[in-house]
């Protein structure tokens, strides 16, 4: 986001989040608040540090659920 009018341009780089999960398997689902749509990603295995990358630029919310 810009600090002056006309300088607020969308981010074209996909955001990422670094985290450490406990042991177990997790589903990864991304929510796009701009469209209200959901994107199901690959399942992941916990017990490790990892970085998840959103499916596109701008704002995303990630939902992790233990399987």
């Amino acid at each position: 986001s810009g600090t002056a009018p006309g300088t607020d341009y969308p981010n074209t780089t996909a955001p990422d989040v670094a985290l450490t999960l406990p042991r177990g398997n997790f589903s990864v689902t991304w929510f796009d608040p701009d469209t209200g749509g959901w994107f199901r990603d690959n399942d992941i295995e916990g017990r490790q540090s990892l970085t998840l990358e959103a499916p596109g630029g701008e704002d995303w919310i990630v939902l992790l659920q233990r399987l």
Side-chain angles (χ1 to χ4, degrees):
S1 294
T3 57
T7 62
D8 189 18
Y9 301 105
N11 185 3
T12 57
T13 303
D16 58 24
V17 60
L19 46 96
T20 302
L21 296 173
R23 290 185 185 272
N25 294 314
F26 296 83
S27 66
V28 180
T29 308
W30 294 91
F31 176 70
D32 182 348
D34 293 329
T35 66
W38 292 90
F39 175 79
R40 180 75 159 85
D41 209 340
N42 295 324
D43 294 342
I44 56 173
E45 184 178 345
R47 81 166 196 265
Q48 59 187 2
S49 296
L50 54 97
T51 301
L52 300 175
E53 185 175 307
E58 300 202 31
D59 297 327
W60 289 87
I61 298 167
V62 63
L63 172 65
L64 299 173
Q65 293 179 296
R66 187 183 293 267
L67 298 174

